[in-house]
PDB file of all heavy atoms in Angstrom:
ATOM      1  N   ILE W  77     135.066 104.137 130.578  1.00 98.00           N
ATOM      2  CA  ILE W  77     136.068 105.025 129.964  1.00 98.00           C
ATOM      3  C   ILE W  77     137.397 104.915 130.721  1.00 98.00           C
ATOM      4  O   ILE W  77     138.467 104.863 130.106  1.00 98.00           O
ATOM      5  CB  ILE W  77     135.541 106.475 129.899  1.00 98.00           C
ATOM      6  CG1 ILE W  77     134.415 106.551 128.853  1.00 98.00           C
ATOM      7  CG2 ILE W  77     136.656 107.471 129.555  1.00 98.00           C
ATOM      8  CD1 ILE W  77     133.673 107.860 128.783  1.00 98.00           C
ATOM      9  N   SER W  78     137.317 104.827 132.047  1.00 98.00           N
ATOM     10  CA  SER W  78     138.581 104.753 132.799  1.00 98.00           C
ATOM     11  C   SER W  78     139.301 103.423 132.501  1.00 98.00           C
ATOM     12  O   SER W  78     140.536 103.384 132.429  1.00 98.00           O
ATOM     13  CB  SER W  78     138.355 104.991 134.290  1.00 98.00           C
ATOM     14  OG  SER W  78     138.046 103.789 134.928  1.00 98.00           O
ATOM     15  N   ILE W  79     138.532 102.359 132.269  1.00 98.00           N
ATOM     16  CA  ILE W  79     139.151 101.063 131.915  1.00 98.00           C
ATOM     17  C   ILE W  79     139.837 101.183 130.550  1.00 98.00           C
ATOM     18  O   ILE W  79     140.964 100.716 130.353  1.00 98.00           O
ATOM     19  CB  ILE W  79     138.079  99.944 131.911  1.00 98.00           C
ATOM     20  CG1 ILE W  79     137.627  99.665 133.350  1.00 98.00           C
ATOM     21  CG2 ILE W  79     138.602  98.657 131.277  1.00 98.00           C
ATOM     22  CD1 ILE W  79     136.282  99.032 133.466  1.00 98.00           C
ATOM     23  N   ILE W  80     139.153 101.846 129.625  1.00 98.00           N
ATOM     24  CA  ILE W  80     139.735 102.020 128.278  1.00 98.00           C
ATOM     25  C   ILE W  80     141.018 102.856 128.368  1.00 98.00           C
ATOM     26  O   ILE W  80     142.026 102.520 127.729  1.00 98.00           O
ATOM     27  CB  ILE W  80     138.700 102.656 127.323  1.00 98.00           C
ATOM     28  CG1 ILE W  80     137.600 101.630 127.025  1.00 98.00           C
ATOM     29  CG2 ILE W  80     139.350 103.135 126.023  1.00 98.00           C
ATOM     30  CD1 ILE W  80     136.422 102.156 126.254  1.00 98.00           C
ATOM     31  N   HIS W  81     141.016 103.887 129.194  1.00 98.00           N
ATOM     32  CA  HIS W  81     142.223 104.726 129.332  1.00 98.00           C
ATOM     33  C   HIS W  81     143.383 103.892 129.880  1.00 98.00           C
ATOM     34  O   HIS W  81     144.521 104.038 129.432  1.00 98.00           O
ATOM     35  CB  HIS W  81     141.936 105.922 130.243  1.00 98.00           C
ATOM     36  CG  HIS W  81     141.078 106.951 129.568  1.00 98.00           C
ATOM     37  ND1 HIS W  81     140.602 108.065 130.191  1.00 98.00           N
ATOM     38  CD2 HIS W  81     140.584 107.017 128.299  1.00 98.00           C
ATOM     39  CE1 HIS W  81     139.865 108.772 129.347  1.00 98.00           C
ATOM     40  NE2 HIS W  81     139.844 108.144 128.194  1.00 98.00           N
ATOM     41  N   ASN W  82     143.075 103.000 130.822  1.00 98.00           N
ATOM     42  CA  ASN W  82     144.139 102.129 131.365  1.00 98.00           C
ATOM     43  C   ASN W  82     144.711 101.234 130.262  1.00 98.00           C
ATOM     44  O   ASN W  82     145.923 101.042 130.169  1.00 98.00           O
ATOM     45  CB  ASN W  82     143.594 101.235 132.489  1.00 98.00           C
ATOM     46  CG  ASN W  82     143.393 102.026 133.765  1.00 98.00           C
ATOM     47  OD1 ASN W  82     143.970 103.106 133.930  1.00 98.00           O
ATOM     48  ND2 ASN W  82     142.558 101.515 134.666  1.00 98.00           N
ATOM     49  N   LEU W  83     143.818 100.701 129.431  1.00 98.00           N
ATOM     50  CA  LEU W  83     144.270  99.828 128.337  1.00 98.00           C
ATOM     51  C   LEU W  83     145.067 100.631 127.307  1.00 98.00           C
ATOM     52  O   LEU W  83     146.052 100.147 126.755  1.00 98.00           O
ATOM     53  CB  LEU W  83     143.077  99.129 127.670  1.00 98.00           C
ATOM     54  CG  LEU W  83     142.305  98.144 128.550  1.00 98.00           C
ATOM     55  CD1 LEU W  83     141.025  97.685 127.849  1.00 98.00           C
ATOM     56  CD2 LEU W  83     143.164  96.934 128.905  1.00 98.00           C
ATOM     57  N   ASN W  84     144.634 101.886 127.068  1.00 98.00           N
ATOM     58  CA  ASN W  84     145.377 102.757 126.139  1.00 98.00           C
ATOM     59  C   ASN W  84     146.827 102.922 126.593  1.00 98.00           C
ATOM     60  O   ASN W  84     147.746 103.022 125.776  1.00 98.00           O
ATOM     61  CB  ASN W  84     144.735 104.146 126.080  1.00 98.00           C
ATOM     62  CG  ASN W  84     143.457 104.165 125.245  1.00 98.00           C
ATOM     63  OD1 ASN W  84     143.193 103.239 124.496  1.00 98.00           O
ATOM     64  ND2 ASN W  84     142.664 105.218 125.390  1.00 98.00           N
ATOM     65  N   ASN W  85     147.021 102.941 127.931  1.00 98.00           N
ATOM     66  CA  ASN W  85     148.365 103.177 128.480  1.00 98.00           C
ATOM     67  C   ASN W  85     149.143 101.896 128.759  1.00 98.00           C
ATOM     68  O   ASN W  85     150.288 101.959 129.197  1.00 98.00           O
ATOM     69  CB  ASN W  85     148.255 103.978 129.789  1.00 98.00           C
ATOM     70  CG  ASN W  85     147.711 105.368 129.521  1.00 98.00           C
ATOM     71  OD1 ASN W  85     148.017 105.957 128.488  1.00 98.00           O
ATOM     72  ND2 ASN W  85     146.875 105.889 130.423  1.00 98.00           N
ATOM     73  N   ASP W  86     148.500 100.757 128.532  1.00 97.00           N
ATOM     74  CA  ASP W  86     149.147  99.485 128.824  1.00 97.00           C
ATOM     75  C   ASP W  86     149.988  99.050 127.617  1.00 97.00           C
ATOM     76  O   ASP W  86     149.459  98.758 126.538  1.00 97.00           O
ATOM     77  CB  ASP W  86     148.052  98.437 129.139  1.00 97.00           C
ATOM     78  CG  ASP W  86     148.630  97.125 129.632  1.00 97.00           C
ATOM     79  OD1 ASP W  86     149.793  96.831 129.304  1.00 97.00           O
ATOM     80  OD2 ASP W  86     147.912  96.390 130.324  1.00 97.00           O
ATOM     81  N   LYS W  87     151.292  98.971 127.820  1.00 96.00           N
ATOM     82  CA  LYS W  87     152.215  98.679 126.701  1.00 96.00           C
ATOM     83  C   LYS W  87     152.063  97.257 126.156  1.00 96.00           C
ATOM     84  O   LYS W  87     152.468  96.963 125.034  1.00 96.00           O
ATOM     85  CB  LYS W  87     153.660  98.899 127.147  1.00 96.00           C
ATOM     86  CG  LYS W  87     154.012 100.366 127.275  1.00 96.00           C
ATOM     87  CD  LYS W  87     155.522 100.554 127.212  1.00 96.00           C
ATOM     88  CE  LYS W  87     155.920 102.004 127.007  1.00 96.00           C
ATOM     89  NZ  LYS W  87     155.634 102.858 128.177  1.00 96.00           N
ATOM     90  N   LYS W  88     151.449  96.375 126.981  1.00 96.00           N
ATOM     91  CA  LYS W  88     151.286  94.982 126.516  1.00 96.00           C
ATOM     92  C   LYS W  88     150.002  94.796 125.722  1.00 96.00           C
ATOM     93  O   LYS W  88     149.738  93.738 125.160  1.00 96.00           O
ATOM     94  CB  LYS W  88     151.290  94.037 127.705  1.00 96.00           C
ATOM     95  CG  LYS W  88     152.670  93.879 128.304  1.00 96.00           C
ATOM     96  CD  LYS W  88     152.657  92.811 129.351  1.00 96.00           C
ATOM     97  CE  LYS W  88     154.034  92.655 129.955  1.00 96.00           C
ATOM     98  NZ  LYS W  88     153.969  92.078 131.283  1.00 96.00           N
ATOM     99  N   VAL W  89     149.161  95.841 125.709  1.00 98.00           N
ATOM    100  CA  VAL W  89     147.896  95.761 124.959  1.00 98.00           C
ATOM    101  C   VAL W  89     148.047  96.573 123.678  1.00 98.00           C
ATOM    102  O   VAL W  89     148.267  97.780 123.718  1.00 98.00           O
ATOM    103  CB  VAL W  89     146.713  96.302 125.809  1.00 98.00           C
ATOM    104  CG1 VAL W  89     145.429  96.327 124.991  1.00 98.00           C
ATOM    105  CG2 VAL W  89     146.534  95.461 127.067  1.00 98.00           C
ATOM    106  N   HIS W  90     147.912  95.869 122.551  1.00 98.00           N
ATOM    107  CA  HIS W  90     148.068  96.547 121.251  1.00 98.00           C
ATOM    108  C   HIS W  90     146.739  96.734 120.547  1.00 98.00           C
ATOM    109  O   HIS W  90     146.610  97.576 119.668  1.00 98.00           O
ATOM    110  CB  HIS W  90     149.035  95.757 120.375  1.00 98.00           C
ATOM    111  CG  HIS W  90     150.321  95.469 121.069  1.00 98.00           C
ATOM    112  ND1 HIS W  90     150.542  94.311 121.774  1.00 98.00           N
ATOM    113  CD2 HIS W  90     151.427  96.238 121.230  1.00 98.00           C
ATOM    114  CE1 HIS W  90     151.740  94.348 122.326  1.00 98.00           C
ATOM    115  NE2 HIS W  90     152.299  95.507 122.015  1.00 98.00           N
ATOM    116  N   GLY W  91     145.760  95.907 120.918  1.00 98.00           N
ATOM    117  CA  GLY W  91     144.432  96.020 120.317  1.00 98.00           C
ATOM    118  C   GLY W  91     143.357  96.038 121.388  1.00 98.00           C
ATOM    119  O   GLY W  91     143.421  95.260 122.357  1.00 98.00           O
ATOM    120  N   ILE W  92     142.391  96.954 121.228  1.00 98.00           N
ATOM    121  CA  ILE W  92     141.267  97.037 122.178  1.00 98.00           C
ATOM    122  C   ILE W  92     139.979  96.918 121.362  1.00 98.00           C
ATOM    123  O   ILE W  92     139.817  97.614 120.354  1.00 98.00           O
ATOM    124  CB  ILE W  92     141.261  98.386 122.934  1.00 98.00           C
ATOM    125  CG1 ILE W  92     142.593  98.611 123.652  1.00 98.00           C
ATOM    126  CG2 ILE W  92     140.086  98.462 123.910  1.00 98.00           C
ATOM    127  CD1 ILE W  92     142.768 100.041 124.186  1.00 98.00           C
ATOM    128  N   LEU W  93     139.097  96.052 121.825  1.00 97.00           N
ATOM    129  CA  LEU W  93     137.812  95.904 121.127  1.00 97.00           C
ATOM    130  C   LEU W  93     136.689  95.917 122.166  1.00 97.00           C
ATOM    131  O   LEU W  93     136.744  95.160 123.142  1.00 97.00           O
ATOM    132  CB  LEU W  93     137.818  94.578 120.373  1.00 97.00           C
ATOM    133  CG  LEU W  93     136.638  94.226 119.471  1.00 97.00           C
ATOM    134  CD1 LEU W  93     137.098  93.278 118.384  1.00 97.00           C
ATOM    135  CD2 LEU W  93     135.486  93.600 120.209  1.00 97.00           C
ATOM    136  N   VAL W  94     135.722  96.794 121.979  1.00 97.00           N
ATOM    137  CA  VAL W  94     134.553  96.806 122.862  1.00 97.00           C
ATOM    138  C   VAL W  94     133.425  96.122 122.094  1.00 97.00           C
ATOM    139  O   VAL W  94     132.983  96.616 121.054  1.00 97.00           O
ATOM    140  CB  VAL W  94     134.166  98.249 123.259  1.00 97.00           C
ATOM    141  CG1 VAL W  94     132.942  98.239 124.166  1.00 97.00           C
ATOM    142  CG2 VAL W  94     135.332  98.953 123.946  1.00 97.00           C
ATOM    143  N   GLN W  95     133.011  94.942 122.591  1.00 96.00           N
ATOM    144  CA  GLN W  95     132.000  94.165 121.875  1.00 96.00           C
ATOM    145  C   GLN W  95     130.650  94.884 121.890  1.00 96.00           C
ATOM    146  O   GLN W  95     130.167  95.306 122.941  1.00 96.00           O
ATOM    147  CB  GLN W  95     131.875  92.766 122.512  1.00 96.00           C
ATOM    148  CG  GLN W  95     130.900  91.838 121.821  1.00 96.00           C
ATOM    149  CD  GLN W  95     131.337  91.469 120.400  1.00 96.00           C
ATOM    150  OE1 GLN W  95     132.503  91.174 120.155  1.00 96.00           O
ATOM    151  NE2 GLN W  95     130.403  91.492 119.466  1.00 96.00           N
ATOM    152  N   LEU W  96     130.053  95.035 120.735  1.00 93.00           N
ATOM    153  CA  LEU W  96     128.738  95.662 120.616  1.00 93.00           C
ATOM    154  C   LEU W  96     127.671  94.558 120.603  1.00 93.00           C
ATOM    155  O   LEU W  96     127.976  93.440 120.246  1.00 93.00           O
ATOM    156  CB  LEU W  96     128.670  96.480 119.323  1.00 93.00           C
ATOM    157  CG  LEU W  96     129.710  97.605 119.213  1.00 93.00           C
ATOM    158  CD1 LEU W  96     129.615  98.261 117.841  1.00 93.00           C
ATOM    159  CD2 LEU W  96     129.560  98.633 120.310  1.00 93.00           C
ATOM    160  N   PRO W  97     126.430  94.805 120.977  1.00 93.00           N
ATOM    161  CA  PRO W  97     125.877  96.092 121.400  1.00 93.00           C
ATOM    162  C   PRO W  97     126.206  96.407 122.861  1.00 93.00           C
ATOM    163  O   PRO W  97     126.477  95.509 123.656  1.00 93.00           O
ATOM    164  CB  PRO W  97     124.368  95.856 121.217  1.00 93.00           C
ATOM    165  CG  PRO W  97     124.172  94.393 121.448  1.00 93.00           C
ATOM    166  CD  PRO W  97     125.417  93.727 120.947  1.00 93.00           C
ATOM    167  N   LEU W  98     126.134  97.708 123.179  1.00 96.00           N
ATOM    168  CA  LEU W  98     126.367  98.153 124.552  1.00 96.00           C
ATOM    169  C   LEU W  98     125.016  98.424 125.224  1.00 96.00           C
ATOM    170  O   LEU W  98     124.028  98.681 124.533  1.00 96.00           O
ATOM    171  CB  LEU W  98     127.195  99.442 124.529  1.00 96.00           C
ATOM    172  CG  LEU W  98     128.650  99.289 124.065  1.00 96.00           C
ATOM    173  CD1 LEU W  98     129.307 100.651 123.908  1.00 96.00           C
ATOM    174  CD2 LEU W  98     129.428  98.434 125.055  1.00 96.00           C
TER     175      LEU W  98
END
Side-chain angles (χ1 to χ4, degrees):
I77 290 173
S78 87
I79 290 157
I80 290 172
H81 287 175
N82 285 341
L83 295 171
N84 284 345
N85 294 324
D86 187 335
K87 286 201 167 69
K88 287 187 180 156
V89 175
H90 308 93
I92 304 168
L93 185 154
V94 179
Q95 183 65 44
L96 300 175
L98 291 172

